[in-house]
Amino acid sequence: MPRLFSIALLSLVAGALCIGATGCVPKPEERVRLRYAIWGSVRQTQVEEQIVAEFERQHSGVEVELFPVSRGYQEKIQATMVGGTTADVLMVDSMIYGDWAERGALTDVSDLIHELDAEDEFMPVALDVFRLKNRYYGLPINSGGMVMFCNLDALAAAGLPVPRRGLTWAEFETFGPKLARRGGNDRAPTDYLCVAPPPTALLAAFGVRLFDDSREPTRVTVMGPAAIAAVTFHRRLVAEGWAAPTNAVVDSGANQLFRDGRVAFLFTGRYSSTEFAGNTTFNWDVAPVPLSPGAGVEAAGTALAISAQTQVPQLAREFLRFYASETAVHLAVEGGRIVPVRRRFAYGAHFLSQSPPASVRLFSETEEAGAAGALLYGGGQREVHDILYRRLEQALAEPGRSAQEIVAGIEADLGRWLQRREERMR
């Protein structure tokens, strides 16, 4: 046990004896402090405050200092890493997790994950997302499996069924003329059919594989019919007026477009539910994302990691273990913060009773083996996402350029990215 923590532990014991004997409380300077960095909305921060308060209640003499970051989380945390002032526990998403783990900025907690999994099984995809060379550098706490939010009143007005069992992309496209006013139907109930899925989600749902191996890539494999079909579909959605154009999404925000009833469908995760609950004039629910045959939903998620700079590693591990407990999970679930990542909670009555949406179970089903996957695991995910985003924007800005040329551009960009990655890993 590190000397600093041994001293702190003795202080905690002395404080506990003092309380029992005389009723006194530990002085502020005698308390052990744990620093915890998070991102999120005001509501999500309130959820974390509740979890922190319960942890402090159960751990006398411990004070958790919460560092909420509303914007620029990755950049701000990286700055603290350089300055040596990083919080002890860090909230990380799957987009940045691999980069920080590969740089040695996160502590290996594989033993803790295996212990927790033996006590209470994790869902397959939740573990898969954060496994790097069979090691774990963070505790999965949330599954980011994407679903399709549906404006039920708009569907009813257009005489369309609720796609509770999912659609193919071809079937989804047939909804466009009936739902999108901007597509030429003045009597349609919404301005647009949808906000187009994010580039990685779109390619995954069309069955595209970017690399020969999504964990240890050695060759780019994006060129093919699936990628060309995805680019063509993306172009057609926007050109026909069925998908909201980029400027409308940037100006209003994707969630706002759905909340205001301007789009009938939105592709996102459970974390958006809190923005819609009680804030819409229409009924809504969720359904599976349309998929091509053999394709899957994009896998994502959130984890809690321990900084390699921490001076209280044992206390940080105890906080992670607490966050995986029923008490903390229930608080996070009720606040709309997470989709539970352990089977008992994911299919338990507490989570499944949460509403809206009525079909909340669908979020859990995206965590089953084979239901979701990532185009890339490990470091570099943000760079790859940026490449795909730029090329799909090019597809819209340059309609004279063929879809095959756009995909060839993606392949060339990914090839250069892969070469840089190989050079860094040597």
Side-chain angles (χ1 to χ4, degrees), residues 364-384:
S364 298
E365 292 173 350
T366 63
E367 297 185 82
E368 295 289 2
L375 297 176
L376 176 69
Y377 295 93
Q381 291 188 40
R382 187 173 295 278
E383 293 175 90
V384 168

Side-chain angles (χ1 to χ4, degrees), residues 46-343:
Q46 290 171 345
V47 172
E48 297 303 323
E49 289 172 346
Q50 292 173 348
I51 293 171
V52 162
E54 182 60 25
F55 179 77
E56 290 176 334
R57 190 188 70 77
Q58 294 187 21
H59 297 75
S60 177
V62 174
E63 179 182 342
V64 179
E65 190 174 356
L66 196 61
F67 290 94
V69 179
S70 58
R71 293 185 180 180
Y73 182 84
Q74 179 179 3
E75 293 74 19
K76 290 177 181 177
I77 297 301
Q78 285 183 165
T80 66
M81 290 176 177
V82 173
T85 59
T86 312
D88 303 295
V89 176
L90 305 170
M91 186 171 283
V92 296
D93 67 15
S94 49
M95 187 79 73
I96 60 178
Y97 166 78
D99 289 322
W100 290 355
E102 289 176 358
R103 292 207 315 258
L106 308 179
T107 300
D108 189 331
V109 291
S110 302
D111 60 334
L112 177 61
I113 302 305
H114 294 315
E115 287 174 18
L116 291 171
D117 191 43
E119 295 170 7
D120 220 333
E121 180 187 19
F122 281 90
M123 296 294 287
V125 169
L127 283 183
D128 199 39
V129 166
F130 293 101
R131 188 177 77 251
L132 296 178
K133 296 183 177 178
N134 292 320
R135 309 297 297 174
Y136 295 94
Y137 300 87
L139 166 74
I141 61 169
N142 174 49
S143 171
M146 185 172 287
V147 299
M148 184 169 66
F149 283 68
C150 311
N151 181 327
L152 301 183
D153 291 356
L155 289 171
L160 294 168
V162 178
R164 300 191 187 281
R165 300 194 177 188
L167 299 167
T168 65
W169 285 113
E171 291 169 335
F172 179 75
E173 197 170 352
T174 65
F175 283 21
K178 297 180 180 180
L179 288 168
R181 281 192 292 269
R182 299 300 177 91
N185 181 356
D186 293 338
R187 291 183 294 179
T190 52
D191 285 346
Y192 305 100
L193 169 68
C194 67
V195 173
T200 49
L202 177 68
L203 293 177
F206 267 80
V208 176
R209 292 192 61 187
L210 299 183
F211 304 101
D212 56 338
D213 188 318
S214 57
R215 292 190 181 276
E216 299 290 340
T218 62
R219 179 170 52 88
V220 180
T221 60
V222 68
M223 180 59 77
I228 293 171
V231 171
T232 302
F233 173 81
H234 179 71
R235 268 181 163 164
R236 194 163 55 243
L237 274 185
V238 177
E240 296 289 344
W242 298 334
T246 302
N247 62 342
V249 178
V250 172
D251 291 344
S252 300
N255 284 357
Q256 184 75 43
L257 288 171
F258 183 79
R259 188 170 62 211
D260 291 348
R262 296 183 59 194
V263 300
F265 296 108
L266 178 67
F267 304 95
T268 185
R270 183 182 181 240
Y271 48 85
S272 294
S273 297
T274 55
E275 293 194 36
F276 308 142
N279 294 322
T280 68
T281 58
F282 56 87
N283 296 307
W284 58 274
D285 202 351
V286 297
V289 172
L291 297 174
S292 294
V297 178
E298 180 188 26
T302 309
L304 291 189
I306 299 174
S307 167
Q309 298 176 5
T310 184
Q311 297 299 304
V312 287
Q314 294 303 321
L315 182 58
R317 285 171 62 93
E318 181 59 26
F319 184 77
L320 263 62
R321 178 176 281 280
F322 172 77
Y323 209 104
S325 71
E326 182 172 336
T327 298
V329 169
H330 281 192
L331 286 172
V333 163
E334 289 166 7
R337 184 67 158 159
I338 68 166
V339 175
V341 295
R342 297 167 89 180
R343 186 172 295 278

